[in-house]
Amino acid sequence: MQAKEMGVMFTRHAEQITSKCWGDFLQQLEEKGLYVLIETDTIGRVMSPLGGLMPMPCKSETLHIVTADELEQRGLPLGHHIVTKPKAKDKTTTA
């Protein structure tokens, strides 16, 4: 299946996939040295199922599959992460 077709299938099946199934999928990624990084625009926080705070879901989230090196470059420990997207800095100059 091509990525576009799999994307359609994911939207149809996402509600049927259990947390155990997602956990198994993420574990398979970990075994291959890959991790999910979700970037979100929200600054609000909700409680994580395992404790602690994480950004709230939003429609403009970006999902990335990253390696351990890419996590290190972002200053993140090994594992899956949900982070707030960095704000774009204005490039104004003063004379």
Side-chain angles (χ1 to χ4, degrees), residues 31-76:
E31 290 169 1
K32 295 178 182 342
L34 300 172
Y35 302 89
V36 174
L37 174 69
I38 301 173
E39 288 183 314
T40 179
D41 287 334
T42 60
I43 56 173
R45 305 272 184 216
V46 295
M47 288 299 292
S48 162
L50 301 176
L53 295 173
M54 62 183 190
M56 293 173 57
C58 73
K59 289 184 178 184
S60 60
E61 290 178 339
T62 307
L63 278 72
H64 303 279
I65 302 293
V66 297
T67 63
D69 289 340
E70 291 170 308
L71 287 173
E72 186 178 336
Q73 289 172 6
R74 291 174 178 255
L76 297 170

Side-chain angles (χ1 to χ4, degrees), residues 1 6 21 28 48-49 61 63 66 68 72 76 80-81 87 91 94:
M1 228 182 260
M6 187 58 87
C21 185
Q28 289 176 48
S48 162
E61 290 178 339
L63 278 72
V66 297
E72 186 178 336
L76 297 170
H80 307 284
H81 295 276
K87 299 280 185 202
K91 293 188 176 186
T94 56

